[in-house]
């Protein structure tokens, strides 16, 4: 059974803009590997503290089969991918359930 999911994430703690862009490239590759690359937009921005950050959001709900198994798999790969580029970076993922919203 598949579930409609909204994905949003933020990665803080990038040393500078070039490192933030390197994180974007690594995450884009992860999205391709997970077959959701056309569904997720990833950008570099500046946080309230003036530091570079990476953020992303699904353009529309993702239909995921076996979400309860895929979620920990994806979250682990996401954290690993970010850490490979920037060990000091802090990834945070938020999941939304649009079918449950009224």
């Amino acid at each position: 059974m598949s579930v409609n999911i909204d994905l949003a994430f933020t990665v803080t703690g990038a040393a500078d803009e070039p490192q933030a862009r390197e994180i974007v490239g690594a995450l884009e590759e992860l999205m391709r590997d997970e077959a959701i690359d056309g569904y997720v937009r990833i950008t570099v921005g500046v946080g309230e503290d003036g530091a570079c950050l990476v953020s992303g959001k699904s353009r529309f709900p993702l239909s995921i089969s076996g979400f309860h198994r895929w979620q920990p798999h994806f979250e682990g790969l996401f954290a690993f991918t970010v850490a490979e580029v920037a060990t000091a970076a802090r990834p945070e993922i938020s999941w939304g359930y649009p079918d449950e919203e009224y």
Side-chain angles (χ1 to χ4, degrees):
M1 182 168 140
S2 65
V3 174
N4 289 324
I5 300 295
D6 288 326
L7 166 64
F9 57 84
T10 304
V11 179
T12 57
D16 52 23
E17 186 176 343
Q19 187 177 59
R21 295 205 179 280
E22 190 175 346
I23 292 168
V24 168
L27 291 176
E28 287 174 341
E29 185 174 329
L30 172 62
M31 299 305 155
R32 276 192 299 277
D33 291 347
E34 293 298 310
I36 59 174
D37 55 313
Y39 305 97
V40 179
R41 182 171 182 248
I42 306 172
T43 60
V44 172
V46 178
E48 292 177 10
D49 60 356
C52 283
L53 60 84
V54 174
S55 61
K57 185 174 180 160
S58 53
R59 298 174 192 266
F60 41 84
L62 307 172
S63 182
I64 306 291
S65 295
F67 179 70
H68 65 284
R69 290 186 308 273
W70 181 80
Q71 178 185 8
H73 161 81
F74 179 79
E75 289 176 348
L77 285 175
F78 190 91
F80 179 78
T81 299
V82 170
E84 277 193 307
V85 175
T87 56
R90 294 169 304 282
E92 184 177 315
I93 296 177
S94 299
W95 301 103
Y97 303 91
D99 292 341
E100 294 178 6
E101 296 172 3
Y102 296 85

